[in-house]
Amino acid sequence: MEDSLVIRGIEFRSRLWIGTGKYKDFKETREVIESSGSDVVTVAVRRVNIIDRKSENLLDYIDPKKYKILPNTAGCYTVDDALRYSRLAREAGVSDLIKLEVIGDEKTLFPDTIGLLKATEILAKEGFIVFPYTNDDPIMAKRLEEAGAAAVMPLGAPIGSGLGIRNPYNIKIILETVKVPVIVDAGVGTASDATIAMELGCDAVLMNSGIAGARDPLAMASAMKHAVLAGRLAHRAGRIPKKLYASASSPLDGML
């Protein structure tokens, strides 16, 4: 089945997007990305060197011609910081894409949605293709869409928690509320979590800790690849209705 994901005219081959934090070195990062089959790699501008090409650089290990580099503003707690790092990435020629994070609390890492909305509006007007990381709040998702977001990225659970999709009903409401793609970001802990997100109808899943923190990151990356594919295919195929009572697989109607 033809099932490409296109956002603002950009075609994405994979619906599994990969973060690059927490790996032991750039070599392992590259191997995990290859194992995942992803073509989208998100990089924290203020934490990983992708700007200074004179020193060891993640882009020495990840070919920008092969992968779509998605800079992110992880670690930014103010609108000004998020804007600054977004602009730095673009000025360095990395990308017009930006995964926008404005964090509101150091302990929970929940988004500052008021600041996020403001930053989204500013960057969208500057021509950025903005992917804002937000709470699983349908109202805020709609506001972000109206502010110019190219997609919305609701959390499944707090960053790095591995708790999975804690509120699938809010995710379903978001899917009904916005017209832009919905990409679950944060909280995925294992393959079944990724499958659930895709079965709900999400357009993609972005993850980092669930792979990087696994006992075998390479194997988990492969598991996540298959989980996303299975979940997407199941969503498109359409599950059977849930019923309280049994329904025979081989009905007796019409038989003697």
Side-chain angles (χ1 to χ4, degrees):
M1 294 183 289
E2 182 62 31
D3 188 33
S4 61
L5 172 59
V6 180
I7 303 175
R8 296 287 173 87
I10 302 171
E11 185 171 3
F12 298 88
R13 186 183 72 248
S14 172
R15 292 175 183 268
L16 171 60
W17 296 9
I18 298 293
T20 52
K22 302 182 179 180
Y23 296 103
K24 64 182 181 182
D25 52 34
F26 287 155
K27 181 176 179 292
E28 183 181 57
T29 305
R30 179 181 62 199
E31 291 172 347
V32 164
I33 294 168
E34 291 173 350
S35 180
S36 74
S38 178
D39 65 335
V40 182
V41 180
T42 182
V43 183
V45 180
R46 66 181 299 166
R47 292 175 178 165
V48 178
N49 176 31
I50 57 171
I51 295 175
D52 180 9
R53 298 299 304 214
K54 296 178 182 178
S55 58
E56 187 179 36
N57 192 298
L58 178 63
L59 300 188
D60 295 330
Y61 294 81
I62 300 173
D63 184 356
K65 295 179 181 178
K66 182 178 180 182
Y67 299 100
K68 295 175 180 66
I69 307 300
L70 177 59
N72 73 58
T73 60
C76 292
Y77 286 79
T78 67
V79 171
D80 287 344
D81 265 0
L83 295 177
R84 176 171 177 263
Y85 283 101
S86 299
R87 291 162 179 161
L88 277 173
R90 182 160 73 175
E91 288 167 9
V94 178
S95 182
D96 287 332
L97 304 171
I98 191 73
K99 181 198 166 193
L100 183 62
E101 298 183 27
V102 182
I103 301 301
D105 177 68
E106 189 173 353
K107 183 176 181 181
T108 64
L109 300 180
F110 283 141
D112 171 2
T113 52
I114 295 174
L116 180 69
L117 185 61
K118 181 178 179 181
T120 297
E121 185 173 15
I122 292 170
L123 291 173
K125 287 179 178 178
E126 293 181 6
F128 283 88
I129 301 173
V130 185
F131 297 82
Y133 161 70
T134 185
N135 289 328
D136 57 351
D137 176 359
I139 304 302
M140 181 52 62
K142 187 62 178 177
R143 296 286 184 270
L144 290 166
E145 179 185 39
E146 293 169 346
V152 292
M153 305 184 76
L155 55 81
I159 291 174
S161 68
L163 290 172
I165 312 300
R166 303 315 302 159
N167 196 336
Y169 306 105
N170 272 22
I171 300 295
K172 285 185 69 68
I173 295 171
I174 290 172
L175 287 162
E176 294 173 359
T177 301
V178 302
K179 296 180 181 179
V180 296
V182 176
I183 302 167
V184 164
D185 178 18
V188 172
T190 191
S192 57
D193 300 332
T195 301
I196 289 170
M198 299 307 295
E199 286 177 348
L200 288 170
C202 294
D203 295 276
V205 180
L206 191 154
M207 64 185 75
N208 187 180
S209 299
I211 296 175
R215 187 168 58 250
D216 185 340
L218 286 176
M220 185 60 80
S222 180
M224 293 296 189
K225 173 177 69 175
H226 293 292
V228 167
L229 289 170
R232 179 64 182 176
L233 188 57
H235 169 72
R236 298 195 73 197
R239 66 161 294 137
I240 64 171
K242 294 182 180 180
K243 301 176 181 178
L244 182 61
Y245 295 103
S247 178
S249 299
S250 301
L252 298 177
D253 296 349
M255 296 182 66
L256 297 178

